[in-house]
């Protein structure tokens, strides 16, 4: 039922009096900024009659250079379809001081959704203009403008009835324009929603001041719609206490914000919780455990040697493994916990309500270890990985989230040090170990830049004539405060930190430089360097090695490279490709620690290597254990059959040397001849050996 005092069917005719009665400046402009409509307040502001304003742009009435914000806002609305809710300043040509306005501007669109202009309403921040009922002649144009404005515009009386609603309001409520006039929010939405909407209306009418707030209503489908509403008091004939409102739909904006907030808690690759969400969950579970005096566990797991599939099969395969790991943790119905991806290939599971404390946690850690040890499927082929796990308990091991995570990490690294593919419970002694590891990590990251590394050289002796034919370069670290450190103390950490390729390049560079220096002294000595698995799979390794050779102008035959059997485990075919490229460059290749790994003899005959190195573990018992001697003899004979020479490392006694010589071993390396020597001592050793050789030739 329509209110008798409303605009009703005469809406189009009476719009002029309505907008002249608004205590604000109402106007419309075309795409060029020329005025299509202004209300009486604008005429009074510009001190011009209506006919002198229509068809003109702002430069006729104001100093454009000092009204830049207004011009910029117009451009954003016209060019980009933006909706503006901002403060603006303008300096009128007939005034000496600028005025400030709160302005709402929205685009005007035609039936094809093209922007044809803008509509705006501005209220002066320090002056509410008196209402007036003077008529204007462009009411039909104004009605057309308001029907195409991309905003919800309405006028309400003091009793909450709609006196005017534009087309957007009618479409939102699923009714015709005339059907909305005379209704109130209770009629349209029901008491619960209406009460929320009427709160802002009451604040405007009671304060007689502009008010802005978010409002929520339900559309005809029952979906919640969010609006940013700006409402201002007005006085109309017969309605001295009314308001006009402008509302913008912000539902999509809020949904976008919610999606962004969700993205801050979810790991995009796996769909698991990320670190921020994990810490929040852990803090809440700690609070709950306090109230019930329960035990909870944090299990941290890290995929062992994850860099190998990542480097050899590509990052896409690595990502696939991470997704498969996440799926296993999420779908294990026996795992009553909260899995999260912490970083890289590290995952965490929070297990609350552990009745048996450490016993339950240990049982779960073992089941998770077995779960991760199941074959992964990559390119329809099985791929095996293991995991190392660390477990910390609340409240036994720590009383807050970050400490629990740090302790679980300590236990996890301890599991790796014990050989991987296992779990460890945290203990207080591990705390000191982790502190030591963090110090080591910090110092190692700074070592290369500080030039703290040094190469030592251990000679290789020809079994045929006893001459030194080459050396093996062994890296040492002169760590400040600790002295010289052997590689087994820091190389595993360098591999974990991703520093090994950089360090490996430094070794090759220094070895090439040393070969060149010795050559200038007439010492033709080759140097062997050890390649890490990460170096071997680097696609640019051969190019970098070639660059070092060219820089120091040395032959490729003067640099030997040693790889271990274990480097062939994950992808022997890929290893063969990389080794062949080095061999093609002219590099001599050796298999280090031969006999301690798992490589197949079938692969041995295919590997493009020049020699093998018998591991010292075979040499130690060669004089006392006939089986060790037979094994060494068999390996040497097999190698010679395949056209490979053999180096025996770890030779410490004359008896070992004699036995190996009888087996036709080619080269010796060990303390019987020389320990690893720093550069200057190695140079003196080689000079002395050269003099001995020269003297022997003169006899």
């Amino acid at each position: 039922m329509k209110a008798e005092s409303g605009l009703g069917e005469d809406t189009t005719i009476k719009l002029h009096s309505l907008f002249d009665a608004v205590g604000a400046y109402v106007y419309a402009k075309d795409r060029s900024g020329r005025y299509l409509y202004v209300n009486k307040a604008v005429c009074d502001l510009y001190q011009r009659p209506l006919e002198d304003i229509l068809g003109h742009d702002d430069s006729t009435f104001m100093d454009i250079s000092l009204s830049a914000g207004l011009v910029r806002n117009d451009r954003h609305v016209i060019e980009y379809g933006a909706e503006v809710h901002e403060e603006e300043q303008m300096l009128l040509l007939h005034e000496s001081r600028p005025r400030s306005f709160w302005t709402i501007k929205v685009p005007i669109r035609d039936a094809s959704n093209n922007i044809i202009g803008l509509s705006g309403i501005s209220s002066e921040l320090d002056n509410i203009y008196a209402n007036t009922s003077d008529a204007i002649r462009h009411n039909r144009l104004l009605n057309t403008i308001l029907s195409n404005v991309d905003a919800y515009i309405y006028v309400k009386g003091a009793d909450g009835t709609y006196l005017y609603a534009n087309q957007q309001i009618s479409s939102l409520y699923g009714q015709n324009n005339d059907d909305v006039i005379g209704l109130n929010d209770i009629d349209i939405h029901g008491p619960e929603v209406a009460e929320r909407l009427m709160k802002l209306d009451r604040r405007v009418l009671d304060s007689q001041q502009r008010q802005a707030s978010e409002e929520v209503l339900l559309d005809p489908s029952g979906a919640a719609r969010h609006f940013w509403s700006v409402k201002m008091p007005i006085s109309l004939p017969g309605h001295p206490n009314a308001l006009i409102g402008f509302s913008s739909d912000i539902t999509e904006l809020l949904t976008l914000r919610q999606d962004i907030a969700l993205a801050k808690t979810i790991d995009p690759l796996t769909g698991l919780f990320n670190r921020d969400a994990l810490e929040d969950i852990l803090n809440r579970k700690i609070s709950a455990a306090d109230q019930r005096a329960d035990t909870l566990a944090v299990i941290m797991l890290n995929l062992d040697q994850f860099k190998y599939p990542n480097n050899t099969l590509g990052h896409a395969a690595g990502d696939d493994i991470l997704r498969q790991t996440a799926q296993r943790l999420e779908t294990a119905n026996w795992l009553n916990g909260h899995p999260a991806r912490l970083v890289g290939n590290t995952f965490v599971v929070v297990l609350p309500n552990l009745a048996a404390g450490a016993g339950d946690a240990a049982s779960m850690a073992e089941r998770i270890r077995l779960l991760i040890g199941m074959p992964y499927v990559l390119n329809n082929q099985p791929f095996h990985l293991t995991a190392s796990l660390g477990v910390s308990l609340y409240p036994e091991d720590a009383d807050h989230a970050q400490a629990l995570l740090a302790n679980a990490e300590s236990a996890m690294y301890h599991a790796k040090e014990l050989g991987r593919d296992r779990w460890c419970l945290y203990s207080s002694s591990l705390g000191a170990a982790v502190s030591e590891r963090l110090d080591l990590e910090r110092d190692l990251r700074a070592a290369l830049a500080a030039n703290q590394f040094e190469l030592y050289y251990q000679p290789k002796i020809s079994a045929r004539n006893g001459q030194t034919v080459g050396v093996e370069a062994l890296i040492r670290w002169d760590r400040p405060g600790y002295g010289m450190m052997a590689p087994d103390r820091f190389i595993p950490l360098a591999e974990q930190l991703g520093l090994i390729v950089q360090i490996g390049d430094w070794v090759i560079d220094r070895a090439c430089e040393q070969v060149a220096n010795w050559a200038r002294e007439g010492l033709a000595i080759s140097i062997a360097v050890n390649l890490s698995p990460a170096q071997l799979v680097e696609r640019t390794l051969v190019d970098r090695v070639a660059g070092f050779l060219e820089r120091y102008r040395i032959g490729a035959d003067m640099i030997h490279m040693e790889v271990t059997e274990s480097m062939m485990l994950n992808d022997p075919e890929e290893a063969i490709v990389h080794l062949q490229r080095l061999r093609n460059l002219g590099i001599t290749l050796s298999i280090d620690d031969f006999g301690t790994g798992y490589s197949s003899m079938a692969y041995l005959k295919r590997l493009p290597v020049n020699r093998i190195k018998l591991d010292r573990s075979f040499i130690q018992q060669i004089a006392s254990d006939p089986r060790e001697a037979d094994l060494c003899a068999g390996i040497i004979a097999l190698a010679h059959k395949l056209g490979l020479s053999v180096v025996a490392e770890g030779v410490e006694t004359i008896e070992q040397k004699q036995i190996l010589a009888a087996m036709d071993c080619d080269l010796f390396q060990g303390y019987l001849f020389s320990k690893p020597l720093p550069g200057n001592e190695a140079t003196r050793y080689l000079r002395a050996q050269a003099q001995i050789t020269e003297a022997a030739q003169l006899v």
Side-chain angles (χ1 to χ4, degrees):
M1 178 177 178
K2 301 185 180 71
E4 291 181 0
S5 58
L7 298 178
E9 297 177 353
D10 298 326
T11 298
T12 302
I13 300 173
K14 296 181 179 179
L15 277 176
H16 61 280
S17 60
L18 169 64
F19 284 98
D20 276 347
V22 172
Y25 305 93
V26 182
Y27 47 88
K29 302 177 183 179
D30 63 16
R31 287 189 61 88
S32 299
R34 294 186 294 265
Y35 283 100
L36 300 172
Y37 166 79
V38 297
N39 69 347
K40 180 64 166 58
V42 177
C43 294
D44 293 342
L45 177 67
Y46 291 166
Q47 297 183 2
R48 301 286 186 91
L50 179 63
E51 56 270 21
D52 288 350
I53 297 176
L54 299 181
H56 296 274
D57 61 22
D58 289 319
S59 63
T60 306
F61 314 108
M62 66 185 73
D63 186 336
I64 295 299
S65 65
L66 296 177
S67 309
L70 182 151
V71 175
R72 182 182 64 252
N73 288 340
D74 282 5
R75 186 171 65 253
H76 284 181
V77 175
I78 293 294
E79 294 183 4
Y80 307 115
E83 183 173 318
V84 171
H85 294 251
E86 286 190 16
E87 181 180 344
E88 293 181 338
Q89 280 194 337
M90 70 167 72
L91 177 61
L92 298 174
L93 294 177
H94 63 275
E95 294 182 350
S96 59
R97 297 179 59 186
R99 297 179 181 235
S100 295
F101 300 84
W102 181 260
T103 296
I104 300 172
K105 293 179 179 178
V106 293
I108 302 172
R109 300 178 184 272
D110 60 17
S112 301
N113 205 35
N114 298 313
I115 297 174
I116 60 173
L118 67 83
S119 178
I121 182 167
S122 302
S123 57
E124 193 161 3
L125 294 178
D126 57 356
N127 182 31
I128 303 299
Y129 270 72
N131 297 312
T132 178
S133 59
D134 291 345
I136 61 171
R137 295 175 306 209
H138 297 275
N139 46 11
R140 294 186 182 277
L141 172 61
L142 179 60
N143 190 43
T144 301
I145 291 171
L146 293 178
S147 295
N148 287 278
V149 168
D150 190 15
Y152 301 85
I153 304 175
Y154 45 90
V155 178
K156 294 181 182 179
D159 58 356
T161 57
Y162 282 88
L163 305 178
Y164 169 76
N166 72 345
Q167 183 61 46
Q168 280 72 13
I169 289 283
S170 303
S171 300
L172 176 66
Y173 296 161
Q175 302 187 45
N176 295 323
N177 286 53
D178 291 344
D179 294 334
V180 174
I181 305 304
L183 300 180
N184 59 34
D185 289 321
I186 296 177
D187 299 327
I188 297 172
H189 302 291
E192 183 177 348
V193 174
E195 179 60 28
R196 295 200 302 266
L197 299 177
M198 291 161 60
K199 284 183 179 179
L200 184 58
D201 293 356
R202 284 196 293 268
R203 290 207 306 270
V204 173
L205 296 173
D206 291 346
S207 68
Q208 287 297 294
Q209 297 291 325
R210 173 189 174 277
Q211 302 285 336
S213 180
E214 180 184 343
E215 294 183 310
V216 183
L217 55 82
L218 301 179
D219 64 17
S221 70
R225 301 282 289 276
H226 296 257
F227 294 85
W228 181 255
S229 297
V230 179
K231 300 180 181 181
M232 294 174 288
I234 60 172
S235 295
L236 296 172
H239 299 277
N241 201 14
L243 65 84
I244 182 170
F246 301 82
S247 298
S248 303
D249 193 337
I250 59 172
T251 306
E252 291 186 5
L253 176 61
L254 292 180
T255 300
L256 177 61
R257 287 178 177 175
Q258 291 170 357
D259 291 343
I260 293 173
L262 181 63
K264 292 180 179 179
T265 64
I266 298 298
D267 172 50
L269 177 64
T270 64
L272 296 181
F273 290 119
N274 62 14
R275 185 181 188 113
D276 290 340
L278 169 67
E279 291 186 359
D280 181 61
I281 291 170
L282 188 50
N283 283 321
R284 286 190 279 110
K285 294 301 178 182
I286 288 173
S287 298
D290 276 339
Q291 296 173 5
R292 296 191 297 266
D294 282 344
T295 296
L296 69 81
V298 172
I299 299 179
M300 183 177 294
L301 69 95
N302 180 270
L303 300 176
D304 294 327
Q305 297 182 312
F306 180 71
K307 58 181 174 295
Y308 296 133
N310 228 7
N311 291 338
T312 58
L313 303 179
H315 289 287
D319 290 346
D320 195 6
I321 289 174
L322 296 177
R323 284 190 289 265
Q324 290 186 49
T325 301
Q327 185 178 27
R328 292 181 187 187
L329 295 174
E330 275 197 304
T331 58
N333 53 23
W334 46 266
L335 187 58
N336 185 25
H338 306 276
R341 182 187 177 207
L342 193 64
V343 65
N345 56 311
T346 300
F347 297 81
V348 171
V349 180
V350 177
L351 297 175
N353 310 323
L354 294 180
D360 281 351
S363 175
M364 282 294 185
E366 175 63 12
R367 295 186 72 176
I368 293 173
R369 185 189 70 82
L370 295 173
L371 177 69
I372 301 303
M374 297 172 60
Y376 290 82
V377 178
L378 299 175
N379 299 325
N380 297 320
Q381 297 294 324
F383 189 90
H384 294 270
L385 274 180
T386 60
S388 299
L389 299 89
V391 183
S392 65
L393 301 175
Y394 175 87
E396 290 90 334
D397 298 329
D399 60 359
H400 61 277
Q402 290 186 344
L404 281 170
L405 290 169
N407 291 345
E409 184 178 22
S410 301
M412 181 265 290
Y413 278 119
H414 187 57
K416 286 188 177 293
E417 291 169 359
L418 293 177
R420 304 186 181 95
D421 191 20
R422 65 190 66 209
W423 53 266
C424 283
L425 291 171
Y426 174 79
S427 65
S428 57
S429 62
L430 288 178
V434 129
S435 177
E436 181 182 343
R437 182 186 183 278
L438 291 175
D439 288 343
L440 181 63
E441 177 179 333
R442 180 198 62 229
D443 291 350
L444 183 57
R445 289 186 183 278
L448 200 60
N451 198 31
Q452 294 170 0
F453 293 119
E454 185 177 347
L455 287 187
Y456 276 45
Y457 303 93
Q458 187 170 32
K460 294 180 180 179
I461 310 300
S462 169
R464 181 175 57 84
N465 56 24
Q467 295 180 5
T468 301
V469 295
V471 296
E472 179 181 3
L474 301 167
I475 190 171
R476 298 289 186 268
W477 176 22
D478 188 8
R479 184 184 179 193
Y482 294 86
M484 202 64 71
M485 298 182 68
D488 59 355
R489 295 283 307 280
F490 62 88
I491 288 299
L493 180 59
E495 291 177 338
Q496 293 174 19
L497 298 177
L499 300 174
I500 195 63
V501 172
Q502 189 178 3
I503 293 174
D505 278 359
W506 179 88
V507 170
I508 298 172
D509 181 49
R510 290 301 172 88
C512 290
E513 182 181 27
Q514 186 63 74
V515 166
N517 291 340
W518 283 338
R520 281 193 290 271
E521 293 193 36
L523 301 172
I525 299 296
S526 64
I527 297 181
V529 298
N530 293 283
L531 281 185
S532 70
Q535 281 178 283
L536 180 60
V537 298
E538 275 281 318
R539 299 187 184 280
T540 59
L541 172 64
V542 175
D543 294 333
R544 297 200 307 276
V545 171
F548 292 137
L549 297 175
E550 183 177 357
R551 179 188 306 171
Y552 296 107
R553 298 184 179 182
I554 62 175
D557 60 326
M558 301 304 291
I559 293 295
H560 298 186
M561 292 186 173
E562 299 180 358
V563 296
T564 62
E565 287 182 271
S566 60
M567 294 166 66
M568 314 298 161
L569 282 178
N570 285 311
D571 193 338
E573 299 297 337
E574 183 74 9
I576 290 171
V577 170
H578 290 291
L579 290 174
Q580 188 61 59
R581 293 185 65 206
L582 288 170
R583 181 69 180 272
N584 293 342
L585 187 63
I587 300 294
T588 298
L589 300 172
S590 303
I591 297 180
D592 198 9
D593 302 332
F594 186 82
T596 62
Y598 307 94
S599 60
S600 166
M601 288 296 178
Y603 278 112
L604 180 59
K605 68 180 182 180
R606 295 180 53 206
L607 292 174
V609 296
N610 305 86
R611 63 173 55 134
I612 62 174
K613 294 185 72 174
L614 273 176
D615 186 67
R616 66 182 64 248
S617 61
F618 294 109
I619 308 304
Q620 288 172 349
Q621 306 298 324
I622 196 171
S624 59
D625 188 339
R627 291 174 300 180
E628 293 282 4
D630 290 342
L631 182 58
C632 288
I635 293 175
I636 293 172
L638 174 63
H640 288 166
K641 194 72 172 177
L642 295 174
L644 307 176
S645 61
V646 180
V647 181
E649 59 181 353
V651 179
E652 298 178 353
T653 68
I654 294 176
E655 189 176 11
Q656 291 170 349
K657 171 191 170 184
Q658 291 172 341
I659 294 172
L660 289 165
M663 295 176 181
D664 205 18
C665 183
D666 302 285
L667 299 171
F668 303 135
Q669 183 178 348
Y671 274 48
L672 177 62
F673 308 97
S674 175
K675 65 180 181 180
L677 302 170
N680 56 348
E681 292 184 25
T683 300
R684 287 197 294 269
Y685 172 89
L686 293 174
R687 286 172 182 162
Q689 291 298 307
Q691 290 172 359
I692 293 172
T693 300
E694 185 177 346
Q697 291 173 349
L698 293 175
V699 175

